[in-house]
């Protein structure tokens, strides 16, 4: 049985990746993971592939055991794993609830790594891993302190894992978008700490670009010249200058 596995599948980019993977891959099942069962069940109406609903909270380690046990029972071939689950909090670090911040680390980084580790024994030559990073992966981001750090982990992890998996011919793609209009922002923005948004992109645009880059064998997918230019520039600028520029844009200097 050939399957695709998508976390964070109930909304935003995760949901759009479900539809894109359904379209681009010939699979027997799509395993969709998120907390909201009803939303997962609704995906079947728009998918040609059979959808297996896995209502799991990846902040809870028992979900890892449930997923691992299911793999051991079904023994599928995972053609594509898409780690899109995650959340952020845009606020001053010391003023934000500690458990929410730690939860962001667990979901954005720990759960992503766990899903990769558990899935790899069921992946073969030609299989794909898509990890959702961010423009924040490339620089420290004050007032998105934890979120930026978790996405830096995702980028570094994806690059290193991709190198390790070259001998198995398994591709790892890290998707690093700029500002996207999704439900993510409704959770992340809790006050006016972040005020400046240079350009918005649609989730579908990001996913379409990611799928094209996946076919090209790329390791990083970045939509939009302004975002790509920013990534190139910050590589050659002092970190303090980059952070000071960001803070000035947000009215913090």
């Amino acid at each position: 049985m050939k399957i695709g596995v998508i976390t964070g599948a109930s909304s935003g980019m995760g949901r759009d990746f479900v539809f894109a993977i359904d379209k681009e891959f010939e699979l027997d099942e799509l395993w969709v993971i998120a907390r909201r069962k009803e939303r997962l069940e609704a995906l079947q109406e728009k998918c040609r592939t059979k959808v297996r609903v896995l209502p799991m909270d990846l902040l809870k380690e028992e979900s890892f055991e449930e997923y691992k046990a299911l793999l051991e029972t079904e023994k599928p071939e995972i053609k594509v794993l898409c780690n899109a689950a995650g959340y952020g909090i845009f606020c001053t670090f010391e003023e934000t609830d500690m458990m929410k911040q730690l939860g962001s680390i667990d979901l954005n980084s720990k759960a992503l790594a766990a899903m990769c580790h558990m899935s790899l024994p069921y992946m073969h030559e030609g299989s794909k891993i898509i990890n959702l990073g961010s423009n924040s992966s490339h620089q420290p981001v004050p007032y998105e302190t934890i979120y930026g750090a978790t996405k830096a982990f995702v980028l570094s992890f994806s690059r290193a894992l991709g190198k390790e998996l070259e001998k198995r011919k398994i591709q790892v793609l890290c998707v690093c978008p700029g500002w996207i209009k999704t439900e993510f922002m409704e959770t992340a923005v809790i006050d006016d700490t972040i005020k400046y948004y240079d350009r918005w992109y649609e989730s579908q645009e990001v996913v379409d670009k990611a799928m094209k880059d996946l076919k090209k064998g790329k390791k990083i997918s970045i939509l939009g010249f302004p975002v790509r230019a920013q990534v190139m520039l910050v590589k050659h600028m002092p970190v303090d200058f980059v952070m000071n520029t960001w803070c000035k844009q947000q009215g913090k200097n």
Side-chain angles (χ1 to χ4, degrees), residues 33-72:
I33 298 174
R35 293 174 300 167
R36 293 175 287 191
K37 182 179 179 181
E38 296 77 11
R39 287 200 178 190
L40 295 178
E41 291 174 339
L43 294 172
Q44 184 65 79
E45 298 176 6
K46 297 184 178 181
C47 292
R48 63 187 179 120
T49 309
K50 180 183 177 181
V51 173
R52 183 179 296 215
V53 173
L54 304 178
M56 299 178 182
D57 184 351
L58 294 178
L59 285 174
K60 299 178 179 178
E61 291 197 12
E62 52 262 39
S63 292
F64 302 160
E65 295 303 321
E66 184 179 349
Y67 177 68
K68 187 176 181 180
L70 185 59
L71 290 174
E72 291 172 352

Side-chain angles (χ1 to χ4, degrees), residues 13-30:
M13 289 187 60
R15 184 172 183 269
D16 286 335
F17 268 117
V18 170
F19 300 142
I21 290 169
D22 174 57
K23 179 180 178 181
E24 296 294 336
F25 289 82
E26 295 299 325
L27 303 168
D28 297 303
E29 288 188 1
L30 289 168

Side-chain angles (χ1 to χ4, degrees), residues 4-224:
V5 181
I6 305 96
T7 72
S10 62
S11 66
M13 289 187 60
R15 184 172 183 269
D16 286 335
F17 268 117
V18 170
F19 300 142
I21 290 169
D22 174 57
K23 179 180 178 181
E24 296 294 336
F25 289 82
E26 295 299 325
L27 303 168
D28 297 303
E29 288 188 1
L30 289 168
W31 290 13
V32 294
I33 298 174
R35 293 174 300 167
R36 293 175 287 191
K37 182 179 179 181
E38 296 77 11
R39 287 200 178 190
L40 295 178
E41 291 174 339
L43 294 172
Q44 184 65 79
E45 298 176 6
K46 297 184 178 181
C47 292
R48 63 187 179 120
T49 309
K50 180 183 177 181
V51 173
R52 183 179 296 215
V53 173
L54 304 178
M56 299 178 182
D57 184 351
L58 294 178
L59 285 174
K60 299 178 179 178
E61 291 197 12
E62 52 262 39
S63 292
F64 302 160
E65 295 303 321
E66 184 179 349
Y67 177 68
K68 187 176 181 180
L70 185 59
L71 290 174
E72 291 172 352
T73 300
E74 298 289 342
K75 295 179 174 55
E77 178 183 355
I78 301 176
K79 299 298 293 182
V80 56
L81 165 66
C82 176
N83 287 301
Y87 74 88
I89 302 172
F90 299 170
C91 190
T92 305
F93 173 73
E94 64 179 334
E95 295 176 355
T96 308
D97 180 80
M98 184 183 75
M99 296 311 296
K100 288 183 179 179
Q101 294 282 23
L102 295 179
S104 179
I105 296 172
D106 286 346
L107 187 57
N108 298 0
S109 301
K110 178 181 175 180
L112 180 145
M115 289 298 298
C116 288
H117 194 275
M118 292 184 292
S119 300
L120 276 169
Y122 301 89
M123 305 184 87
H124 306 286
E125 180 178 330
S127 292
K128 315 287 186 181
I129 297 174
I130 304 170
N131 289 332
L132 187 56
S134 167
N135 191 26
S136 300
S137 298
H138 301 275
Q139 63 191 69
V141 190
Y143 308 103
E144 297 179 14
T145 312
I146 293 293
Y147 177 74
T150 65
K151 293 305 182 179
F153 169 89
V154 172
L155 177 58
S156 180
F157 172 78
S158 298
R159 281 172 162 164
L161 181 63
K163 185 64 178 177
E164 289 185 15
L165 294 176
E166 282 181 357
K167 59 187 176 182
R168 291 184 58 191
K169 297 183 180 180
I170 295 174
Q171 179 188 358
V172 180
L173 176 71
C174 188
V175 182
C176 296
W179 300 111
I180 314 171
K181 294 180 180 178
T182 66
E183 287 184 20
F184 169 90
M185 295 300 296
E186 297 175 10
T187 302
V189 180
I190 59 178
D191 56 25
D192 63 350
T193 299
I194 302 299
K195 303 174 182 178
Y196 174 76
Y197 305 92
D198 52 353
R199 180 169 180 176
W200 289 95
Y201 294 92
E202 297 293 335
S203 172
Q204 188 62 59
E205 294 179 280
V206 177
V207 172
D208 288 345
K209 178 67 163 60
M211 298 307 291
K212 290 177 182 177
D213 288 339
L214 193 70
K215 289 181 179 179
K216 294 177 181 178
K218 291 190 175 183
K219 300 173 183 177
I220 300 175
S221 178
I222 302 174
L223 173 68

